[in-house]
Amino acid sequence: MNYLFYSILFVMSFLGAVSVSFAQTLKLEILDENNSLLPFATAYDEVLQYGATANDKGFLLLELKSGSTEITISHLGYQKYKLRIPELDLTKTNQIKLIPDKLGLNEVVVSGQMQARSLRNSPVKVEVFKADFLNDFSQGSGNLMENISMVNGIQENVACGVCYTNEISINGLEGAYTSLLINGIPIYGNLATVYGLNSIPTDMMEKVEVVRGPGSTLYGSEAMAGVINIITPHAEESSFNLNSSYSQFGEWKGNFIGQYKGENWKHFSGVHWDVANQFIDENGDLFSDLLLRDRFSVFNFSENEEKQFSIGGKYFFEDRRNGVREFVQDRNYRQLRGSDQVYGESIYTNRWELFGNKKFGQSPFELQFSASQHWQDSYYGDTFYQAEQHQAFVNLISEHTIGNHNVLAGFSQRISYYDDNSAATQDEGSNEPSIQIIPGVFVQDEWSISNEWRILSGARLDYYNLHGLIFSPRLNVQYQLSDWANLRFNSGTGFRVVNLFTEDHAFVSGQRELLIQEELNPERSFNVGLGYQQVYTIGNQQGNIEFDGFYTYFTNKIIPDYDTPGFIIYENSEAYAFTRGLSLNINHQIGSDLFFNAGAQWQNARQAEENESGSLEEVPIIYSRDWSAVGSLEYSFPFNIKLNYSFNWNGPTALPEVYEVNPAGEIVSIRDTFSPDFTLHNIKLRKNFKNLEVFAGVRNVFDNTQSLSPLSGTQDQTAPLGFGEFFDAAYNYGSMTGRNFFLGFDWKIK
């Protein structure tokens, strides 16, 4: 009996010792590129399928299972790190340093399908640009419009050389063809695309998703060229952040941001400002080359994971002005607005937005909603322009998985009210505001045929009270040649309802008169595209190459007629328009020290117009470029010093006809309707301390400005400057301001 007892005791002791020898603990400290602890990284055994998550201090404990040989360390925004267990000393805490993933290969995107999908597994090609990346190459404390032109194939077009109205152009199409979303929810109407896009500071963005080609199947009108989706930040810790920058031209920008992470709620709140009041006239046209402004934004984003509810809001105010020195000096514009002797333009904008979404437990339903109101009070010389737009939107979607099909269906309702004091909302002398009530239904099916093939098909049907039913189908096909090589085909249709103030700013900025020959019907388009993406690794280097081709054909293209001096004439066109092109982009990262990007695009954007003989002639779409190139480089030096360099190179730009006059106000010549090519170079140096970054840089390093003033018709001495019959402000293709030094800081307070 004693022998049996001791034998059992011996066996149990042996088994216990064996189990203890296998029950080892992996202890890790996860660091970022600045050697700061990185919270909430994950460690995972992809073979045995178990893991653990680091705490909010970046410390991770993982009880190893028998047979574990390799653990993968990952964190969103960083490259994955492979740990070989036999090579580690498990008696101590090991430090692991993660390298930022500048390529964003593991990003989750929502814009292409209104569903969360990994970037490489999305049948719709989505380009992702993190806000940190955009800010790294800007003056700091910037906004969406200042940074979006770093994206290959996307340009900022400036339609007015006095008030500097700008728009986002994708693949050579005007800004009105691009739909702007926040968290996948449409919120920016026609009026806001003129002055509202500067209200989106980079610090209220986590990332930007870009989808080229018609997105009308999911998002309705105004998505013919593509979709730009702003993803707002999530508060992952309680902290404050203050950043600010100042340039030699007197531009003062900044943000004050607070984050709070509670037990159930997360809040991300902030204030943004952008102020400039320094008159600069380097080209000698007697108008300021720098837009003078006071911009303020207040924003908040809150979410509750338990209640599956999020809500956000923003208020924006802008006091934008420009003109001759007498108009803007000492803020004289407040008394001179509307003067017919001293030319200036003054635009007051007030705008608020509300948006959010709600999920319902385990049900497949999700409700998205948004509302906005936009007011504009403006003078362009002595022309008074007042407008307002109110919008409400709701989207109820349902997602179901049936075998290897994922089906998304939904109902949307959009209500839009627009009114201004121009001919655009008048009927036989009486005011007729535009009221659009637009219900719509849509459905899409993602069919995973195999590991290699995915097909995404969809259709949308909208009813416009002014135009009736409009049908929009789409088809996307993805063939995954390997884990890191994709071939994508896309096709679809788009439609757009025209808003004249958005289409053409020249009838209020300048002396042209607006003529509308008939009621304008929606434009329609058909698009096809083919793209190839290849990701590669070479030692500690990784990169990707993207090659894309696209073709879009338009019917009923609304084409403004500038050929009659003093007028802009609008009418429905029986003609056509198209844009086609090829795009190449390369991203490459070498360890954590060097990252560079280079891209180029050739495009051919043309519209047909009747010539003097009555036959159709293809002419360039205004402000389109036949080619463009972008590039950026970031290099990390020792002592946490980083260098950022970027450039934009735009080919000749198609410009509207503008006229030079003699002192008697008579036309003597017409300017060239194509600009020369234009290049901008920028450089920025950053030094990172523990919770503080300081930076300095130069925009337009080589002091390159467009050779001609954007203003024409200024030689007329029969009227005060700016009030001549042929005064025009639309000749813009490059920078007005030369070399500009800036400095700033970014301070994080935990």
Side-chain angles (χ1 to χ4, degrees):
M1 188 70 177
N2 289 337
Y3 175 77
L4 179 61
F5 172 78
Y6 286 118
S7 298
I8 293 173
L9 183 62
F10 173 78
V11 171
M12 291 178 64
S13 300
F14 175 77
L15 292 175
V18 171
S19 65
V20 169
S21 68
F22 282 104
Q24 301 178 86
T25 301
L26 176 63
K27 293 171 285 188
L28 298 175
E29 283 186 339
I30 314 298
L31 307 176
D32 64 13
E33 71 276 21
N34 297 318
N35 293 319
S36 298
L37 290 169
L38 191 64
F40 309 119
T42 60
Y44 192 73
D45 188 314
E46 296 177 346
V47 176
L48 301 182
Q49 297 188 343
Y50 76 99
T53 301
N55 62 18
D56 59 354
K57 304 298 184 184
F59 186 72
L60 187 147
L61 288 175
L62 176 63
E63 297 293 332
L64 296 173
K65 290 186 177 181
S66 176
S68 276
T69 59
E70 187 175 78
I71 299 294
T72 301
I73 311 298
S74 60
H75 191 286
L76 187 63
Y78 291 83
Q79 297 180 28
K80 291 182 177 180
Y81 190 99
K82 301 287 187 180
L83 276 178
R84 292 281 302 164
I85 301 301
E87 299 173 1
L88 296 176
D89 183 354
L90 298 178
T91 64
K92 66 177 185 179
T93 299
N94 293 269
Q95 287 190 335
I96 303 300
K97 186 174 182 178
L98 297 184
I99 297 174
D101 180 15
K102 294 288 186 180
L103 304 183
L105 302 178
N106 297 306
E107 288 289 330
V108 174
V109 296
V110 297
S111 302
Q113 300 170 239
M114 208 181 284
Q115 301 162 292
R117 291 289 183 271
S118 67
L119 192 61
R120 62 173 178 164
N121 292 328
S122 171
V124 180
K125 182 183 176 183
V126 182
E127 298 170 86
V128 179
F129 302 91
K130 296 181 181 179
D132 289 344
F133 169 79
L134 297 176
N135 252 340
D136 287 348
F137 293 89
S138 70
Q139 174 182 323
S141 313
N143 61 59
L144 173 69
M145 290 302 301
E146 294 175 357
N147 298 322
I148 198 66
S149 57
M150 288 184 58
V151 181
N152 186 25
I154 297 182
Q155 283 93 30
E156 175 194 6
N157 289 342
V158 178
C160 172
V162 180
C163 63
Y164 291 95
T165 307
N166 49 11
E167 64 181 14
I168 297 173
S169 170
I170 297 181
N171 293 345
L173 295 173
E174 300 99 308
Y177 291 84
T178 299
S179 182
L180 188 67
L181 318 173
I182 291 186
N183 294 336
I185 305 170
I187 196 169
Y188 285 86
N190 295 328
L191 188 59
T193 61
V194 182
Y195 292 120
L197 301 185
N198 297 285
S199 72
I200 309 174
T202 312
D203 280 350
M204 68 161 273
M205 304 186 300
E206 178 180 288
K207 60 184 177 182
V208 180
E209 299 178 356
V210 178
V211 181
R212 302 170 193 256
S216 296
T217 300
L218 289 182
Y219 302 111
S221 181
E222 300 154 14
M224 293 177 80
V227 171
I228 294 179
N229 187 18
I230 308 299
I231 304 298
T232 58
H234 305 274
E236 299 299 341
E237 59 182 348
S238 296
S239 65
F240 291 99
N241 180 252
L242 174 65
N243 57 64
S244 184
S245 65
Y246 191 81
S247 80
Q248 75 177 76
F249 293 155
E251 300 166 289
W252 179 39
K253 304 177 183 181
N255 295 277
F256 181 70
I257 295 169
Q259 300 184 61
Y260 170 74
K261 182 180 181 182
E263 184 176 348
N264 295 317
W265 282 95
K266 296 179 181 179
H267 302 280
F268 186 96
S269 304
V271 178
H272 169 77
W273 64 89
D274 181 354
V275 177
N277 197 39
Q278 184 173 326
F279 185 92
I280 297 171
D281 182 20
E282 295 184 342
N283 60 11
D285 62 6
L286 304 181
F287 284 72
S288 176
D289 302 331
L290 180 74
L291 174 66
L292 309 183
R293 72 269 184 185
D294 298 309
R295 292 176 183 150
F296 298 96
S297 294
V298 181
F299 50 87
N300 179 78
F301 316 116
S302 300
E303 56 186 332
N304 188 311
E305 294 182 359
E306 182 183 5
K307 297 182 182 296
Q308 298 179 297
F309 176 70
S310 69
I311 189 168
K314 179 166 68 72
Y315 170 75
F316 169 67
F317 168 77
E318 181 181 58
D319 174 357
R320 175 189 296 231
R321 65 272 180 191
N322 205 356
V324 298
R325 184 185 295 272
E326 184 181 349
F327 183 82
V328 296
Q329 189 170 355
D330 299 324
R331 297 186 181 265
N332 291 334
Y333 66 94
R334 292 173 176 172
Q335 291 77 41
L336 292 174
R337 297 180 89 223
S339 169
D340 59 2
Q341 298 297 313
V342 180
Y343 191 90
E345 299 183 0
S346 170
I347 302 99
Y348 295 149
T349 300
N350 282 277
R351 175 179 177 82
W352 65 258
E353 305 162 5
L354 182 71
F355 50 89
N357 75 295
K358 168 66 177 173
K359 295 182 179 179
F360 302 93
Q362 299 300 315
S363 78
F365 295 100
E366 179 180 351
L367 180 69
Q368 300 175 332
F369 59 88
S370 70
S372 65
Q373 290 188 298
H374 191 110
W375 293 270
Q376 180 177 326
D377 178 317
S378 51
Y379 279 93
Y380 302 86
D382 59 354
T383 301
F384 178 53
Y385 181 80
Q386 186 176 45
E388 59 180 300
Q389 184 168 41
H390 314 298
Q391 289 201 133
F393 174 84
V394 65
N395 210 17
L396 180 63
I397 59 178
S398 177
E399 184 177 355
H400 302 270
T401 300
I402 307 170
N404 57 353
H405 291 262
N406 184 273
V407 180
L408 181 78
F411 166 81
S412 68
Q413 176 69 67
R414 184 198 301 252
I415 300 174
S416 177
Y417 172 92
Y418 175 82
D419 189 21
D420 65 24
N421 63 333
S422 77
T425 56
Q426 291 183 4
D427 185 14
E428 297 181 355
S430 63
N431 188 46
E432 292 287 341
S434 170
I435 301 175
Q436 297 182 25
I437 302 173
I438 313 166
V441 292
F442 58 90
V443 62
Q444 74 172 14
D445 173 32
E446 182 183 358
W447 180 17
S448 299
I449 301 175
S450 65
N451 291 332
E452 293 80 24
W453 286 95
R454 289 185 183 85
I455 295 178
L456 180 72
S457 57
R460 181 183 184 95
L461 187 65
D462 288 282
Y463 177 77
Y464 279 72
N465 56 317
L466 299 177
H467 306 293
L469 291 171
I470 297 180
F471 177 66
S472 303
R474 78 185 295 188
L475 176 67
N476 297 79
V477 180
Q478 180 189 27
Y479 176 56
Q480 198 157 329
L481 291 83
S482 67
D483 286 345
W484 295 106
N486 277 290
L487 187 66
R488 292 182 176 94
F489 167 81
N490 66 80
S491 64
T493 66
F495 68 96
R496 188 175 65 91
V497 177
V498 174
N499 178 281
L500 291 182
F501 184 75
T502 301
E503 313 309 307
D504 204 315
H505 196 254
F507 74 86
V508 290
S509 183
Q511 300 302 317
R512 292 181 184 265
E513 183 179 344
L514 175 67
L515 292 180
I516 303 174
Q517 302 286 61
E518 58 186 327
E519 182 178 339
L520 301 178
N521 295 320
E523 295 181 353
R524 300 303 306 261
S525 72
F526 174 73
N527 169 271
V528 292
L530 186 65
Y532 174 76
Q533 182 183 43
Q534 175 69 61
V535 178
Y536 60 86
T537 58
I538 307 171
N540 71 333
Q541 304 177 42
Q542 66 171 357
N544 71 318
I545 300 175
E546 300 171 348
F547 184 78
D548 296 277
F550 59 89
Y551 178 82
T552 304
Y553 184 86
F554 296 88
T555 56
N556 192 41
K557 181 78 167 67
I558 307 300
I559 301 172
D561 179 3
Y562 286 86
D563 293 339
T564 304
F567 292 92
I568 304 174
I569 302 173
Y570 277 93
E571 60 184 336
N572 290 309
S573 170
E574 297 298 327
Y576 60 89
F578 63 84
T579 176
R580 58 191 175 188
L582 300 172
S583 177
L584 176 66
N585 207 75
I586 300 173
N587 298 284
H588 191 85
Q589 182 174 359
I590 303 176
S592 59
D593 293 333
L594 178 63
F595 169 79
F596 67 85
N597 161 270
Q601 178 163 301
W602 167 84
Q603 64 189 19
N604 185 228
R606 298 293 185 267
Q607 60 191 25
E609 293 182 351
E610 285 191 5
N611 56 25
E612 294 179 355
S613 63
S615 58
L616 292 178
E617 179 182 357
E618 292 179 359
V619 298
I621 293 176
I622 298 298
Y623 296 117
S624 67
R625 302 161 175 87
D626 281 347
W627 57 268
S628 61
V630 297
S632 60
L633 179 148
E634 178 178 288
Y635 185 76
S636 298
F637 295 94
F639 308 109
N640 291 327
I641 297 175
K642 292 186 178 181
L643 174 70
N644 294 100
Y645 160 78
S646 63
F647 77 88
N648 289 81
W649 188 9
N650 291 321
T653 301
L655 296 169
E657 283 191 355
V658 297
Y659 312 102
E660 299 294 6
V661 299
N662 59 22
E666 302 166 335
I667 296 175
V668 294
S669 65
I670 299 175
R671 284 191 186 179
D672 193 343
T673 54
F674 272 96
S675 75
D677 63 296
F678 192 87
T679 309
L680 278 179
H681 299 265
N682 309 290
I683 197 166
K684 182 177 179 180
L685 197 62
R686 300 182 287 144
K687 164 65 176 172
N688 191 275
F689 300 93
K690 185 175 183 180
N691 293 316
L692 176 68
E693 179 180 272
V694 294
F695 56 84
V698 187
R699 289 182 294 176
N700 197 357
V701 175
F702 297 109
D703 201 26
N704 189 18
T705 57
Q706 75 173 55
S707 56
L708 289 173
S709 165
L711 313 178
S712 59
T714 57
Q715 303 303 315
D716 186 354
Q717 296 181 7
T718 65
L721 179 61
F723 293 97
E725 181 180 359
F726 301 110
F727 175 74
D728 205 298
Y731 204 82
N732 295 273
Y733 63 87
S735 175
M736 298 298 114
T737 55
R739 188 181 298 113
N740 186 8
F741 294 88
F742 63 88
L743 54 87
F745 70 90
D746 190 345
W747 181 28
K748 188 170 186 179
I749 311 163
K750 293 188 178 181

